Amino acid sequence: NKIPQVILVGIENTQRRRDLTGPTDVKKDKEIALVVGGAAVFRSFIKEELFPEVNKRYRIKSKRSIMGESLAGLFVVETFLQSPEMFDHYIAMDPSLWWNDHYLVKNAAGYISGLPAGKKLWFAGSQDISHDTRQLSGVLEATKSPGLQWHYSDEPREQHSTIYRATKEKALIWALNE
């Protein structure tokens, strides 16, 4: 009884590093997989194929949430900034914000200024990745978007391998309770 009832949809993808990353010009980024930079196509699949299929099969409410960790957290933050209309609640644990030379953090202020009202963002950073998440928190604090509710959970005692289990409950409680 800590959160409202939800329908949880897990999305299996065929190439994680392709589907969860945006484009990059950084040589080291391109070394993690043969193909990267497919996040826009994956987002299109979610919007144009998955959403209609879920709507057809289940009685759902209009609110949608997305949650991810690591590269999936990067996908969550990129979706929040570049396609904010897709979801109402965004949850990212240890998002890989180093991707493409910190592109999302460096450009977040420009994206945030055009956010639609009623969005919620919860994100956390472990000791392994908190430099980037703290920077994003600073951008959000400085930008002060009026329609955005956000919370940053600095988790210095957690590691990249432990942060999801350590934070998922408080993230869901914060994000889903209106």
Side-chain angles (χ1 to χ4, degrees), residues 16-144:
R16 181 177 187 273
R17 291 178 173 167
R18 176 199 63 198
D19 294 343
L20 300 177
T21 59
T24 184
D25 296 319
V26 177
K27 183 179 177 186
K28 190 171 182 175
D29 291 353
K30 293 178 181 182
E31 292 173 1
I32 71 165
L34 293 175
V35 181
V36 296
V41 173
F42 193 52
R43 232 183 329 278
S44 179
F45 157 75
I46 292 170
K47 187 176 185 177
E48 296 171 17
E49 295 181 47
L50 183 62
F51 284 172
E53 190 63 30
V54 171
N55 291 344
K56 186 170 69 176
R57 292 181 183 208
Y58 303 100
R59 289 187 328 215
I60 61 164
K61 296 184 179 180
S62 62
K63 298 280 185 180
R64 290 193 175 112
S65 307
I66 186 169
M67 179 168 66
E69 184 261 339
S70 193
L71 283 179
L74 173 69
F75 181 80
V76 167
V77 173
E78 184 180 288
T79 302
F80 166 72
L81 294 173
Q82 296 180 1
S83 299
E85 73 288 348
M86 283 185 68
F87 297 94
D88 302 288
H89 314 116
Y90 293 83
I91 301 170
M93 289 92 159
D94 255 11
S96 300
L97 296 173
W98 48 264
W99 185 258
N100 194 21
D101 192 28
H102 311 270
Y103 175 85
L104 290 177
V105 175
K106 289 177 180 178
N107 294 282
Y111 288 114
I112 291 167
S113 64
L115 281 176
K119 302 300 172 183
K120 291 177 88 171
L121 170 66
W122 187 100
F123 62 108
S126 71
Q127 62 177 284
D128 302 323
I129 209 160
S130 63
H131 176 264
D132 296 319
T133 52
R134 285 183 189 139
Q135 283 188 319
L136 180 58
S137 176
V139 171
L140 289 164
E141 185 65 40
T143 307
K144 299 189 185 305

